[in-house]
Amino acid sequence: IKIAMLYLEDDDPVNAEMYIKKASSLIGSCKAEHLELQYKTCYARILDSKRRFLEAALRYYELSLLGNRRIGDMTIDADELLTSLAMAATCTVLAPAGAQRSRMLATLCKDERCPQLPVFPFLEKVYHDRILRTEEVQAFSKTLRPHHMAALPDGTTVVDRAVMQHNLRAASKLYVNISIQELGALLGVSDDRAEAIATDMISEGRLKATIDQVECMIHFDAGEVLLQWDAQIAGICNKVNAIIDDMSKSGIKLAS
């Protein structure tokens, strides 16, 4: 574990992972809580460094739930728990858009500690599938670590890819269809790049849509949109009924 941590300090997650895997075969029989904590922390950082963001988010979130207590010579305080929670939020935002990421977003947004995080307003927009604007992304980028801003083979960065995939998924909730040219303008990329992003997400099952290459249109699954509308309308009706019931209990009469 110590060797793995030293490799991480040297920004070498490949060798760090090799040694943490050696430790994983022994950690089950380990009775020292402080070593278990170091193992979990190290493994989360390795997953984060290797851009396995969803797995890293789960590990960071587990660490944030440990609670204030003393383990060996170490004392876990509230600030450290919030730091782990913040890292879980960051990794979730950077994870590939899809159903698994949505579940993790829901878990975080329901956590009563999350509103304390500076990144919470941005996280909430991501959770509600809202289009992310350039200035919001720039503000979020200032909170990231260097490896989160690493360049990818296509010339974009990790955060660029995450935002483009998110905005495409958000567009699928707003529109029944969209032209590839308009999608490219929305994502801030060329038409070919926009089509390639959509193709990848569709083939991986992370986006329910079809591409009409003749008409240069992307048609989103209308059924999913209509179900969301139905759920939102039902939610509003339930809230109205609850308000009427409260008014009735208070003796307020409504005009017929």
Side-chain angles (χ1 to χ4, degrees), residues 6-254:
L6 290 171
Y7 271 121
L8 274 179
E9 293 301 319
D10 197 38
D11 197 23
D12 187 351
V14 176
N15 280 316
E17 185 177 30
M18 181 175 66
Y19 280 93
I20 208 69
K21 282 182 176 178
K22 290 181 179 181
S24 64
S25 62
L26 303 170
I27 201 69
S29 59
C30 179
K31 303 300 181 183
E33 280 190 310
H34 71 283
L35 283 178
E36 290 184 39
L37 178 60
Q38 287 178 346
Y39 169 79
K40 290 177 180 179
T41 303
C42 191
Y43 196 45
R45 289 180 59 193
I46 288 169
L47 292 171
D48 186 356
S49 297
K50 296 196 73 176
R51 302 174 194 165
R52 291 158 62 182
F53 293 121
L54 194 58
E55 294 172 78
L58 288 167
R59 297 279 180 168
Y60 280 128
Y61 188 66
E62 287 174 5
L63 288 169
S64 78
L65 297 174
L66 288 175
N68 294 357
R69 59 196 178 104
R70 188 173 182 82
I71 297 179
D73 295 331
M74 296 183 295
T75 301
I76 303 175
D77 59 28
D79 289 342
E80 289 175 320
L81 296 175
L82 277 178
T83 298
S84 294
L85 185 64
M87 290 306 302
T90 296
C91 287
T92 302
V93 170
L94 295 176
Q100 289 181 309
R101 175 176 178 257
S102 296
R103 284 193 289 271
M104 191 65 207
L105 285 166
T107 299
L108 289 168
C109 286
K110 290 175 184 175
D111 193 308
E112 60 185 14
R113 301 170 298 165
C114 264
Q116 301 176 50
L117 302 177
V119 76
F120 180 70
F122 189 81
L123 181 74
E124 200 171 30
K125 284 200 73 171
V126 175
Y127 171 58
H128 290 296
D129 284 323
R130 294 172 185 160
I131 300 289
L132 302 175
R133 305 299 177 189
T134 303
E135 58 274 13
E136 294 168 334
V137 176
Q138 289 174 345
F140 172 68
S141 297
K142 292 177 181 178
T143 68
L144 300 179
R145 295 182 177 180
H147 69 274
H148 294 148
M149 302 296 293
L152 299 172
D154 60 6
T156 60
T157 64
V158 172
V159 68
D160 289 339
R161 180 186 63 185
V163 170
M164 285 189 287
Q165 290 184 0
H166 168 82
N167 281 346
L168 175 51
R169 188 173 168 85
S172 73
K173 307 295 175 68
L174 291 173
Y175 306 111
V176 174
N177 54 50
I178 188 172
S179 71
I180 292 175
Q181 182 179 8
E182 289 174 331
L183 180 63
L186 177 66
L187 302 183
V189 295
S190 66
D191 299 356
D192 290 342
R193 178 65 181 142
E195 184 178 354
I197 294 169
T199 300
D200 288 343
M201 291 183 67
I202 292 168
S203 64
E204 292 169 3
R206 295 188 287 121
L207 180 69
K208 294 182 179 180
T210 55
I211 299 177
D212 184 340
Q213 291 184 318
V214 176
E215 298 292 334
C216 294
M217 296 287 291
I218 296 178
H219 299 275
F220 301 113
D221 186 350
E224 187 177 356
V225 176
L226 291 175
L227 284 173
Q228 286 183 344
W229 279 11
D230 287 345
Q232 289 173 352
I233 291 170
I236 292 170
C237 291
N238 289 333
K239 287 181 180 178
V240 171
N241 288 335
I243 292 169
I244 292 172
D245 289 341
D246 289 342
M247 291 174 69
S248 298
K249 291 175 183 178
S250 302
I252 302 173
K253 295 183 179 180
L254 296 175

